[in-house]
Amino acid sequence: MRLALCLLLVSSSFVSMAQDLDFPDYRSKKDNFSKISDKDVRADVASFALAAVDESIGKAVLKTVPVKEYGSNFMTYEDDKIQVIIKTGVFFPSKHKMMFNESHLVRIDNHPYYGGTYGMPPKTTIESITVVIGKDTVAIPPTAFSDLYDPSFSYNENGATRSRNGVFLSNDKHTFYIYMFNPNSKGSEFTWVIRDKQYLRRVVDFGFLN
């Protein structure tokens, strides 16, 4: 089922990450799935991320933390050990330093930005990611999400509301992954990796859909 969905969303030959733009693209690829060197993290992310569909065959589906509640600007996942809360907010251009190339937005607050339609101001932000394991709160640094915009809790597919987002549990019992997918503007995926109650890294991919 997952493979069939992937094939519907992703062509057999991937769209180049460098989209055909007539203005500068400052987005870095250092956090892309293709740059992951940790074999265990790479295998786990390949089991759910669409940008990794060519490595997903044969990967076991990871267990997930169930959704407890959600609204227009938040989603909460919770089981007997883990709680994850993602909150979003409105992007106010007046509160940010915007760098344009002619009429195209290329940097926000002196940094490249990811998500939404590159070249246009985003509409929403990630305000916070709260992670609690047992009684311990895991610190997620703002730099892990401050340049990521237009997150999506769900999307419409043929009139039905869908979501690929999730909190995925690694079989090693030491690592889990917080994942968000937005199919708009050729797709964007944000993944945050938590290992042994510490934030490890993020994985950010964009421009991989037709």
Side-chain angles (χ1 to χ4, degrees):
M1 180 65 72
R2 177 183 180 274
L3 181 58
L5 177 59
C6 290
L7 293 176
L8 285 172
L9 291 172
V10 187
S11 65
S12 58
S13 59
F14 275 24
V15 176
S16 170
M17 285 295 190
Q19 299 178 43
D20 296 329
L21 300 174
D22 57 1
F23 56 94
D25 187 345
Y26 295 108
R27 293 172 296 180
S28 171
K29 298 179 182 179
K30 66 182 178 64
D31 292 324
N32 286 177
F33 170 80
S34 63
K35 304 297 185 181
I36 299 176
S37 58
D38 185 309
K39 293 182 179 179
D40 292 333
V41 171
R42 190 180 184 100
D44 284 345
V45 174
S47 73
F48 58 79
L50 287 178
V53 66
D54 60 341
E55 295 186 24
S56 68
I57 297 174
K59 298 293 189 299
V61 177
L62 299 181
K63 294 181 179 179
T64 60
V65 176
V67 175
K68 181 181 180 181
E69 57 183 333
Y70 64 92
S72 60
N73 65 342
F74 77 96
M75 183 170 278
T76 301
Y77 302 84
E78 187 172 327
D79 63 12
D80 58 342
K81 296 180 180 179
I82 296 172
Q83 181 188 63
V84 174
I85 306 171
I86 304 170
K87 293 183 178 180
T88 63
V90 177
F91 179 81
F92 295 102
S94 61
K95 295 183 178 180
H96 299 272
K97 181 179 180 180
M98 313 275 277
M99 175 181 169
F100 289 87
N101 180 273
E102 296 183 349
S103 60
H104 305 290
L105 178 64
V106 293
R107 291 181 185 271
I108 298 175
D109 298 328
N110 297 318
H111 298 285
Y113 69 100
Y114 305 84
T117 302
Y118 187 67
M120 298 178 63
K123 296 179 180 179
T124 57
T125 66
I126 298 175
E127 290 292 294
S128 63
I129 303 173
T130 302
V131 177
V132 180
I133 305 174
K135 295 182 180 180
D136 299 319
T137 298
V138 178
I140 309 297
T143 52
F145 56 84
S146 61
D147 58 349
L148 307 181
Y149 294 94
D150 288 342
S152 177
F153 293 126
S154 63
Y155 60 93
N156 185 281
E157 183 180 63
N158 298 324
T161 299
R162 310 285 189 189
S163 179
R164 287 186 53 85
N165 296 359
V167 175
F168 296 90
L169 305 173
S170 177
N171 292 324
D172 69 8
K173 301 185 186 301
H174 290 275
T175 311
F176 68 89
Y177 307 85
I178 304 166
Y179 171 77
M180 300 191 78
F181 166 67
N182 188 336
N184 298 322
S185 300
K186 295 190 177 182
S188 58
E189 295 180 312
F190 310 145
T191 302
W192 298 273
V193 185
I194 312 298
R195 177 179 287 169
D196 293 328
K197 297 185 178 182
Q198 293 186 334
Y199 169 74
L200 181 64
R201 61 162 298 163
R202 71 182 192 176
V203 184
V204 177
D205 280 287
F206 51 89
F208 49 84
L209 298 180
N210 280 329

